[in-house]
Amino acid sequence: MNDPSAYIKPLPVPSPETEPFWEGCKRQELLLPLCDKCRSYWFPPSILCPECLSTDWQWVQASGKGKVFAFGVYHRVYHQGFKEEVPYTVAVVELEEGPRLISNIVGIPPSEVKVDMAVQVLFDEVTPEVTLYKFQPA
């Protein structure tokens, strides 16, 4: 874990709908909503299944495996917290379960990231209260 006083990047602010997701990240679990009626996964979380509008759903652990759907490489400092990381990769990752999440691709130079590249989730405990999900090559 990094020194929490030294962490200057933006942090998520969980809502009632997303709090279970962020609690799962703290436990090193990538959680997704799964509809009990139509068996659809979705993200971001909401109180209704976007496929069938059912309110009967549960949080389940996802595989954490997926592929890069799209990505961009940031060469400019838009927030001072990222100035030591430029260039860095932000990607839309399509999970095996179907939903797409936005996060960083780490552990690989930005020039080597490719669309359809297999990735796996990893967790980064950035403060005692917040653990972020990121992706690395599988």
Side-chain angles (χ1 to χ4, degrees):
M1 174 179 52
N2 300 322
D3 174 11
S5 64
Y7 195 81
I8 61 171
K9 295 176 189 170
L11 293 170
V13 178
S15 66
E17 293 83 15
T18 64
E19 194 168 335
F21 174 82
W22 294 110
E23 288 297 320
C25 287
K26 278 196 218 178
R27 296 187 309 269
Q28 311 262 318
E29 298 173 349
L30 187 66
L31 301 179
L32 293 174
L34 173 63
C35 181
D36 292 333
K37 185 175 179 184
C38 72
R39 306 306 292 169
S40 293
Y41 293 93
W42 71 92
F43 196 86
S46 59
I47 59 171
L48 298 173
C49 170
E51 290 296 317
C52 71
L53 304 180
S54 174
T55 57
D56 296 325
W57 60 273
Q58 58 188 304
W59 288 98
V60 298
Q61 188 168 350
S63 68
K65 297 176 183 178
K67 63 182 179 178
V68 174
F69 180 79
F71 70 96
V73 177
Y74 284 63
H75 293 273
R76 190 171 184 186
V77 178
Y78 290 99
H79 185 284
Q80 286 302 306
F82 294 93
K83 71 180 178 181
E84 301 300 321
E85 296 181 25
V86 173
Y88 60 92
T89 306
V90 176
V92 177
V93 172
E94 185 173 72
L95 297 174
E96 284 183 347
E97 293 83 1
R100 296 177 182 153
L101 282 71
I102 298 173
S103 189
N104 295 106
I105 304 294
V106 297
I108 184 173
S111 61
E112 294 180 23
V113 176
K114 306 288 182 222
V115 170
D116 288 331
M117 181 177 80
V119 292
Q120 173 71 42
V121 74
L122 65 92
F123 296 94
D124 185 5
E125 186 179 347
V126 295
T127 73
E129 297 80 29
V130 178
T131 299
L132 300 176
Y133 67 96
K134 297 178 181 181
F135 290 90
Q136 64 186 350

